[in-house]
Amino acid sequence: MLSDIIRIAFPCLADMIAAMNSPDLTQHITFIIVTYNSAHVIGQCLDALPPECHTIVVDNGSRDDTCVRLAQYPDVEVIAGHNIGYGRAANIGLAKATTPYAVLLNPDTILCEGAIETMLACAQKHVDVGIVGARMIDYQNGNKHYQKNYTFDDEGILYTTWIVGALMLFNMEILHKVGLFDEKIFLFFEETDLCDRMRKAGFRLAVCQTAEAEHVEGSSSLPSPRVTKIRSWHVGWSRVHYYRKHYGLAKAMRKSFTKIYKNLFRISGELFHPTGILLATTYETLGVLAYFAGIQAFRNDGTARIT
């Protein structure tokens, strides 16, 4: 009641009080972005971040103008190297964060106003929450569309089993207890694995109703036959690795060979109509078979398969 009176009668004083109560993001948040041929999206992502916060971009050997675009942001710390995969690159950025919280986001994710403040407030209030997420949106024919429908409690929070990897706020103390991303994985299932480990360690995952971000899913890097091969091979390999790690060999075999059967069925329907589906399903099947043949996602020199 008093706050409402102050807001109506003394709007300037209300703004001053709100500013005093708002968190100092500089002291609390480090932003981390992993890029790979992301020149077409990285600018709008960086422009939406609080400029006072430390931002680290780990570039996975982009072959486009990503690094040229990044040079236009002198306050952004850029770590450039060859393609070491999403999880390993994210771990480099997370290891350099000295703030109590870190935000990992995809380059095709654009934060909406107030999202980070809301997510940070949730993490600070609920100290057993290891990862905080937001509602991911896109626009279809100019209309706002939520990529996933959630049911929130009276506090505007949903405790869930999985956080969308495109935007994750970490409590760094909890993250270091649980461990960073699994570095055996090159791409895919790394955030699913981490969310499972968080919950098994007794920590919670939360999505905030009033925190939103626009996510152009699948546009972190431009599509090409080469990218399709890489992504498909690793989604097959990583799926088996994840299920074997968390649910045992029997379930991993059941999941993977069911997927192979479905892929072969899809391929048979495409033999006379070659499309990207044929290429994707072929390489996904090869990734599954490679796992059971004992082939790792990374070679001994640290480079990834199919790169």
Side-chain angles (χ1 to χ4, degrees), residues 189 228-240 256 259-260 263 266-267 277-290:
F189 287 90
T228 297
K229 290 179 182 179
I230 294 172
R231 292 172 64 88
S232 301
W233 193 96
H234 285 283
V235 75
W237 190 98
S238 298
R239 179 185 292 106
V240 188
S256 59
K259 185 64 176 177
I260 286 177
N263 283 349
R266 292 177 70 191
I267 290 173
I277 295 176
L278 176 59
L279 186 66
T281 52
T282 298
Y283 275 86
E284 186 175 336
T285 300
L286 291 174
V288 170
L289 296 175

Side-chain angles (χ1 to χ4, degrees), residues 43-279:
Q44 58 187 358
C45 175
L46 291 173
D47 290 341
L49 301 184
E52 69 274 13
C53 291
H54 183 203
T55 299
I56 301 170
V57 175
V58 183
D59 183 69
N60 265 339
S62 291
R63 302 183 181 189
D64 65 355
D65 292 333
T66 297
C67 290
V68 175
R69 294 283 289 124
L70 290 172
Q72 300 172 14
Y73 297 85
D75 294 331
V76 173
E77 180 180 357
V78 179
I79 303 171
H82 62 277
N83 195 348
I84 59 174
Y86 184 80
R88 290 187 178 189
N91 285 349
I92 290 174
L94 290 167
K96 290 180 68 65
T98 58
T99 50
Y101 301 92
V103 175
L104 177 65
L105 70 162
N106 285 1
D108 58 357
T109 298
I110 305 171
L111 292 175
C112 296
E113 184 176 358
I116 289 302
E117 289 83 355
T118 300
M119 295 168 71
L120 177 59
C122 175
Q124 290 176 321
K125 182 177 181 180
H126 304 281
V127 295
D128 64 334
V129 170
I131 310 175
V132 179
R135 303 177 84 181
M136 309 305 292
I137 61 175
D138 57 26
Y139 289 90
Q140 299 178 0
N141 299 321
N143 298 317
K144 180 191 257 186
H145 170 73
Y146 290 104
Q147 294 184 350
K148 186 174 179 63
N149 293 321
Y150 294 113
T151 301
F152 297 91
D153 62 18
D154 293 338
E155 195 179 354
I157 294 175
L158 169 69
Y159 295 105
T160 183
T161 59
W162 176 74
I163 300 292
V164 177
L167 176 58
M168 310 174 92
L169 183 148
F170 294 106
N171 179 319
M172 293 303 291
E173 181 179 357
I174 293 176
L175 181 62
H176 285 301
K177 287 180 181 178
V178 173
L180 303 181
F181 287 106
D182 184 343
E183 296 205 351
K184 291 182 180 180
I185 298 174
F186 174 78
L187 190 64
F188 296 111
F189 287 90
E190 57 274 281
E191 83 280 7
T192 309
D193 166 72
L194 182 54
C195 288
D196 279 8
R197 287 189 281 123
M198 280 277 181
R199 293 187 297 106
K200 289 177 181 178
F203 300 105
R204 294 193 291 179
L205 316 174
V207 177
C208 298
Q209 183 176 15
T210 56
E212 296 184 351
E214 184 178 351
H215 182 214
V216 187
E217 190 171 5
S219 66
S220 293
S221 57
L222 291 173
S224 69
R226 180 174 177 274
V227 169
T228 297
K229 290 179 182 179
I230 294 172
R231 292 172 64 88
S232 301
W233 193 96
H234 285 283
V235 75
W237 190 98
S238 298
R239 179 185 292 106
V240 188
H241 175 77
Y242 165 76
Y243 278 105
R244 182 173 185 179
K245 179 177 179 178
H246 289 276
Y247 302 102
L249 179 60
K251 187 164 186 176
M253 292 180 68
R254 185 167 63 253
K255 286 284 186 179
S256 59
F257 286 114
T258 298
K259 185 64 176 177
I260 286 177
Y261 172 79
K262 291 180 179 179
N263 283 349
L264 291 175
F265 183 79
R266 292 177 70 191
I267 290 173
S268 66
E270 295 291 333
L271 287 179
F272 299 102
H273 305 280
T275 68
I277 295 176
L278 176 59
L279 186 66

Side-chain angles (χ1 to χ4, degrees), residues 25-43:
L25 294 180
T26 305
Q27 302 298 318
H28 289 87
I29 297 286
T30 300
F31 289 95
I32 297 155
I33 305 169
V34 177
T35 53
Y36 177 72
N37 294 340
S38 307
H40 59 299
V41 291
I42 188 59

